[in-house]
Structure formats: structure tokens, C-alpha cells
């Protein structure tokens, strides 16, 4: 029996980047030198940029690259954008671009911000008399307000700050459990640090308030935790497109505008009534949303968590988009909560995120919400348009063809020939491989080398 090498380590984080890579490749890879060279080759050419990335997360040994694409022709409320998108899924950027182009000649995409309110909570137990806590909110608000003046001064200067504090009684679900639900306006920042700092100060001040102002013994108040809530249903954007049904035009498969509108609305309706379909439908929306959120250095996990919580707000998980045909007008809309920032955090740190903002004309957070909402809508439109006409595999496999060609080491000439060959044929990995073999036959006797 061979004894397994101990692959645990203490002090990994204290090693230099080179030291970390050396330890990793020597312990986990069969060809340490090769892997070490490869991982180092992904370090950014620019040492300063590399330092920034190393400072963003811990134990970095290299960079994980994702494609940075652009979807042009997004006309939103009359303004034209070329939208940066980071995604690993082929056909997402092409689908967004195709939808934006479709709506370009039909009035573009419309969007409005319905609200920008962010939320946070202080969770605590109060073991005193209920009558003490019930009427205390006005005084508590005042007390907390006074004790956070220093923390909120800057945000107030920018037009934001704490909007309201609510006291929530959950004692019917958990003994003695109450909550402060605090709403914030954080202007152009996502505001996580601001919100959490204010909440932690509230948490400290809460005990003092009950003890000093209301005379409650200290052991009757226990703060459990304080943290922002990623569910921000009032940080909401609405994006929509509309045109007379006849202007939708003709679609593949001989589908006319009326039939298309009906089939499209049915597809949306199914995502409203069936959760299995709704999850896939909304995933398609987030294909677009996440790509812009990542390209602009925002927190895509927060955005996803919030969007899915919103999709289930009435107790059943449903479509985030809606559709109708009324009096001859086709209308398709998306309503999604988006808590994003255009200043602070990664937005001003990540070298490419900074370029994304420049590309978008340095938008405010509200403008960015509208851009992201419009891309989510466009993505959903493209997916449903394909699904109710040709199906998605046709277009998808054509995009996938590029990946297959890279994987099979196709030269530029081989790639051109293969694309031409598959222009009117179904793409599959096996079919592309077989075709490449026929191209290479004389030289390689049918051998395909994959990396
Ligand atoms: C694939 O990433 C997204 C779709 O499945 C979305 C949808 O079905 O609506 C095409």
C-alpha cells in the first residue's frame, strides 16, 4: 500500500505568489515546470494591474480569463450604447446584439428606474416586557440617528443616507426575536460598506438605548447580527419594448408577425405559471444581466439572489418578464430589482471594469440599472424568439462551432472551409471532427490532435 503524500500546509497565505505557485504545482500537478510557466503566463503584462488583481482576493496565483465582449446598437431611451459583457457562454453576446438590432428600428428599448432603496437589518432578542418595546420606535429612531451622524455625514452630503427604520416583531415565529429593518439611499455606490457600518453602529447603540433611555436591564437585550439584505425589491428597474404587431415582421420557418406575437406571449405565460420553465426563462435573462454586472465590477451573486427572491415574491417562482398584445400593440417587459453601483468597490479598482464605465459613458447607478435591465430584456427576447421559431440549437451550435474548431486545433483555412461546409448542415462535435479528418486526411492519415 502506498502512503499518500500530505498535501496540507500551514502559512500558505504568507508565501509569496511565486512560493504559492511552486507549492501548488509541486504537490498537485504531474508536470510542475510546465504548469508553473503556464500559470505565470496568465499574469497580466502590466505589473501594476497584476498588483491590483492580487489585492482584490486572497491567495492569488494567476488570473482566470473570461471573454470580454461588446453588444452594440443598444438604444435605450433614445441614447445609444455599446454594452460590455463578460460571459463564458457562447451565443449570449450574439443574442443580445441581435435583439438590440431588432428593436433599433422599432423605437429602441425603453427603461425606467422605479426605486433605488437598499435595505439592511439588525436582528436582536428582547426579553423584557413587550409594552416597553412597542412604543419605543420614535425615540429609538432619534437615538440611532444621533449616534451615527459621523458615519452618515458624507452620504448625506451626496443626497443619500438612512431613509427609515422599522421595528419588526417576529416573536410569533421565534421567541423574543425582533428586527430593525433599515432602508438606505446610497446614491451611485452599491453601498455595502456604508450600510454594514451603519448597521453595526446601530447594533452597538441598541443595547445602550434600551438600558440608558428605557431602563431595561442589559441582559434583556441581545443583538445577534447586523447585515445588509440582498433582497431589495424597491431597488427596481423596468425595461420594455413595444411596437404594432405588424411591424414585428416575418420570422424563420414562415412565421408571420401575428403568429409570432401569439407564440411569444404563450412562451412568457408558461414561464409565469410553471416554475420549471420559469427557472430556465429567468436564467436566460440573467445570462445578459450577469454579463454586464461582471463587466462593470458589480456583485453578480447579490444581483442573482435578489432577482430570484423577487421572482418568488407572491409565493411561487415565476417569470421576471411579461408580455401582452393589446389593441394591435405587442408589448414585452422585464421588471427586476438591481442593486448596483458605479462608484466604489471593484468598479473603480478593476482595470477593465473602469474601461466598461468609460465605454458606457460613465453612467450613474440609475442609468446602469436601465442598461442592465435592457440587456436582460434583450437576452430574454432573443431566447424566446429562437425557441418559438427555429429552436435554439441551430444558432447555438453555429456559435459552438468556433469552440469546437479551437479545440480541434483547426488552422484558419480549415476553420473557413468548415464554416462554409456547415453553413446549411447541423453542427455537432462528431460531425465537425469527421469533416476536419477528411480535410487533413492526406497529411495526417485522419489523426486529429486535440490539445
Ligand atoms: C440558455 O443559456 C438560456 C435559455 O435556455 C433561456 C430560455 O430557455 O429562455 C435559452
Amino acid at each position: 500500500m502506498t502512503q499518500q503524500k500530505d498535501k496540507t500546509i500551514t502559512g500558505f497565505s504568507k508565501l509569496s505568489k511565486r512560493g504559492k505557485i511552486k507549492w501548488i504545482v509541486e504537490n498537485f500537478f504531474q508536470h510542475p515546470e510546465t504548469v508553473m510557466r503556464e500559470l505565470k503566463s496568465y499574469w497580466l503584462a502590466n505589473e501594476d494591474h497584476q498588483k491590483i488583481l492580487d489585492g482584490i482576493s486572497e491567495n492569488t496565483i494567476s488570473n482566470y480569463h473570461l471573454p470580454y465582449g461588446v453588444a452594440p446598437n443598444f438604444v435605450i431611451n433614445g441614447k445609444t450604447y455599446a454594452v460590455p459583457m463578460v460571459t463564458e457562454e457562447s451565443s449570449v453576446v450574439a443574442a443580445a446584439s441581435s435583439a438590440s438590432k431588432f428593436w433599433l428600428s422599432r423605437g429602441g428599448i425603453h427603461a425606467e428606474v422605479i426605486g433605488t432603496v437598499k435595505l439592511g437589518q439588525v436582528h436582536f432578542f428582547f426579553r423584557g416586557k413587550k409594552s416597553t418595546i412597542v412604543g419605543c420606535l420614535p425615540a429609538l429612531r432619534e437615538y440611532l440617528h444621533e449616534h451615527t451622524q459621523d458615519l452618515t455625514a458624507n452620504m448625506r452630503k451626496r443626497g443619500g443616507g438612512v431613509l427609515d427604520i422599522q421595528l419588526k416583531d417576529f416573536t410569533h415565529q421565534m421567541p423574543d426575536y425582533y428586527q430593525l429593518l433599515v432602508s438606505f439611499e446610497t446614491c451611485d455606490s452599491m453601498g455595502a460598506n456604508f450600510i454594514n457600518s451603519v448597521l453595526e453602529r446601530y447594533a452597538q447603540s441598541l443595547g445602550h438605548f434600551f438600558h440608558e433611555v428605557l431602563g431595561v436591564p442589559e441582559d434583556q437585550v441581545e443583538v445577534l447580527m447586523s447585515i445588509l439584505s440582498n433582497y431589495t425589491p424597491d431597488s427596481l428597474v423596468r425595461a420594455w419594448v413595444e411596437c404594432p404587431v405588424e411591424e414585428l415582421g416575418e420570422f424563420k420557418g414562415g412565421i408571420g408577425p401575428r403568429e409570432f406575437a401569439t407564440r411569444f406571449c404563450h412562451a412568457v405565460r408558461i414561464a409565469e405559471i410553471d416554475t420549471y420553465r420559469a427557472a430556465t426563462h429567468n436564467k436566460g435573462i440573467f445570462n445578459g444581466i450577469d454579463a454586464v454586472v461582471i463587466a462593470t465590477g458589480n456583485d453578480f451573486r447579490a444581483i442573482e439572489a435578489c432577482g430570484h427572491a423577487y421572482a418568488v415574491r407572491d409565493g411561487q417562482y415565476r417569470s421576471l418578464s411579461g408580455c401582452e398584445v393589446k389593441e394591435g400593440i405587442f408589448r414585452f417587459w422585464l421588471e427586476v430589482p438591481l442593486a448596483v453601483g458605479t462608484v466604489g468597490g471593484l468598479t473603480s479598482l478593476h482595470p477593465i471594469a473602469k474601461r466598461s464605465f468609460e465605454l458606457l459613458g460613465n453612467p450613474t447607478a440609475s442609468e446602469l440599472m436601465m442598461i442592465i435591465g435592457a440587456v436582460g430584456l434583450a437576452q430574454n427576447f432573443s431566447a424566446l424568439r429562437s425557441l418559438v421559431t427555429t429552436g435554439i440549437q441551430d444558432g447555438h451550435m453555429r456559435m459552438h462551432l468556433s469552440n469546437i474548431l479551437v479545440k480541434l486545433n483547426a488552422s484558419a483555412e480549415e476553420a473557413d472551409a468548415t464554416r462554409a461546409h456547415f453553413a446549411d448542415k447541423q453542427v455537432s462535435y462528431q460531425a465537425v471532427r469527421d469533416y476536419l479528418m477528411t480535410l487533413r486526411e492526406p497529411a495526417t492519415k485522419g489523426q486529429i490532435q486535440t490539445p
Side-chain angles (χ1 to χ4, degrees):
M1 202 172 106
T2 54
Q3 200 170 352
Q4 218 201 334
K5 192 175 167 193
D6 180 12
K7 293 181 179 177
T8 60
I9 182 172
T10 43
F12 181 74
S13 65
K14 301 207 169 56
L15 296 176
S16 67
K17 188 138 62 69
R18 282 182 171 77
K20 287 187 183 91
I21 298 188
K22 188 167 178 302
W23 184 81
I24 289 285
V25 296
E26 283 173 357
N27 282 281
F28 295 92
F29 290 89
Q30 283 178 3
H31 304 288
E33 286 302 323
T34 313
V35 178
M36 177 165 274
R37 256 197 315 278
E38 191 181 321
L39 288 174
K40 278 189 188 169
S41 76
Y42 299 137
W43 294 6
L44 293 184
N46 181 327
E47 283 285 316
D48 291 341
H49 283 179
Q50 185 61 48
K51 264 196 207 126
I52 294 170
L53 293 191
D54 289 344
I56 288 172
S57 179
E58 304 77 33
N59 292 348
T60 51
I61 56 170
S62 192
N63 297 301
Y64 185 101
H65 295 228
L66 284 173
Y68 181 68
V70 172
N73 300 321
F74 263 88
V75 172
I76 306 166
N77 296 340
K79 185 170 170 185
T80 306
Y81 298 89
V83 184
M85 298 177 79
V86 172
T87 178
E88 89 299 345
E89 184 171 331
S90 52
S91 82
V92 163
V93 177
S97 308
S98 153
S100 63
K101 199 162 168 207
F102 180 92
W103 286 102
L104 195 59
S105 55
R106 293 168 177 84
I109 302 176
H110 313 271
E112 67 175 326
V113 170
I114 295 167
T116 56
V117 177
K118 314 264 175 32
L119 296 171
Q121 300 165 304
V122 179
H123 306 269
F124 68 100
F125 298 101
F126 177 74
R127 303 193 172 91
K129 280 204 213 101
K130 199 165 215 172
S131 55
T132 313
I133 195 166
V134 164
C136 78
L137 186 58
L140 176 60
R141 272 199 193 113
E142 188 83 352
Y143 188 89
L144 295 178
H145 182 66
E146 264 172 37
H147 286 79
T148 41
Q149 288 292 298
D150 56 326
L151 288 182
T152 58
N154 256 338
M155 192 59 88
R156 281 186 282 117
K157 255 190 239 154
R158 286 158 56 193
V162 177
L163 301 176
D164 191 21
I165 305 173
Q166 294 290 326
L167 179 64
K168 300 261 180 189
D169 180 347
F170 286 93
T171 53
H172 55 294
Q173 293 184 64
M174 190 175 184
D176 308 323
Y177 167 43
Y178 293 87
Q179 181 194 102
L180 294 182
L181 180 63
V182 189
S183 46
F184 298 86
E185 172 54 60
T186 60
C187 305
D188 283 332
S189 62
M190 204 274 184
N193 277 334
F194 169 71
I195 293 174
N196 288 332
S197 300
V198 170
L199 291 173
E200 289 193 1
R201 179 73 67 76
Y202 280 2
Q204 287 164 7
S205 306
L206 197 65
H208 298 155
F209 170 79
F210 279 109
H211 186 56
E212 287 163 17
V213 179
L214 300 183
V216 173
E218 276 176 15
D219 62 357
Q220 290 188 357
V221 183
E222 179 194 344
V223 174
L224 185 69
M225 57 187 177
S226 42
I227 184 78
L228 62 74
S229 168
N230 283 121
Y231 185 45
T232 52
D234 292 322
S235 190
L236 195 65
V237 68
R238 185 179 164 87
W240 71 98
V241 285
E242 59 187 21
C243 73
V245 170
E246 295 310 323
E247 287 180 15
L248 286 169
E250 299 293 321
F251 295 84
K252 281 189 189 160
I255 298 178
R258 280 184 205 190
E259 187 187 353
F260 173 79
T262 306
R263 287 173 69 78
F264 192 97
C265 284
H266 283 161
V268 176
R269 182 75 193 123
I270 289 168
E272 281 167 354
I273 61 182
D274 175 56
T275 297
Y276 288 92
R277 175 57 204 151
T280 318
H281 178 98
N282 289 344
K283 187 271 183 186
I285 293 171
F286 280 103
N287 275 345
I289 289 181
D290 283 355
V292 189
V293 168
I294 296 172
T296 54
N298 274 283
D299 181 344
F300 61 93
R301 286 89 54 219
I303 297 293
E304 286 259 358
C306 186
H308 295 300
Y310 190 74
V312 75
R313 66 194 178 282
D314 73 358
Q316 186 188 320
Y317 186 90
R318 299 178 193 280
S319 165
L320 288 165
S321 60
C323 185
E324 68 176 15
V325 174
K326 238 189 199 165
E327 290 160 10
I329 303 292
F330 171 85
R331 235 174 241 110
F332 174 50
W333 64 88
L334 169 70
E335 211 177 82
V336 64
L338 293 172
V340 290
T342 53
V343 297
L346 209 59
T347 59
S348 42
L349 215 53
H350 192 285
I352 304 184
K354 280 202 268 189
R355 290 293 176 218
S356 294
F357 283 111
E358 199 178 337
L359 175 62
L360 291 172
N362 294 316
T364 60
S366 289
E367 194 178 349
L368 182 62
M369 284 169 78
M370 293 192 276
I371 295 167
I372 296 172
V375 175
L377 180 83
Q379 206 72 49
N380 195 207
F381 179 80
S382 257
L384 297 185
R385 179 178 55 179
S386 296
L387 286 170
V388 302
T389 56
T390 55
I392 60 154
Q393 267 327 77
D394 185 44
H396 197 79
M397 288 314 284
R398 226 154 281 290
M399 293 299 298
H400 193 48
L401 179 58
S402 306
N403 289 342
I404 300 174
L405 289 169
V406 171
K407 202 155 186 188
L408 296 175
N409 273 336
S411 66
E413 293 76 33
E414 286 173 339
D416 286 347
T418 313
R419 282 204 182 87
H421 178 77
F422 281 95
D424 57 355
K425 293 183 188 60
Q426 191 158 17
V427 175
S428 74
Y429 185 86
Q430 192 56 47
V432 174
R433 196 186 152 97
D434 290 348
Y435 180 70
L436 268 182
M437 269 159 77
T438 63
L439 289 183
R440 291 173 182 178
E441 207 118 62
T444 62
K445 299 207 167 42
Q447 292 300 301
I448 291 261
Q449 302 290 326
T450 50

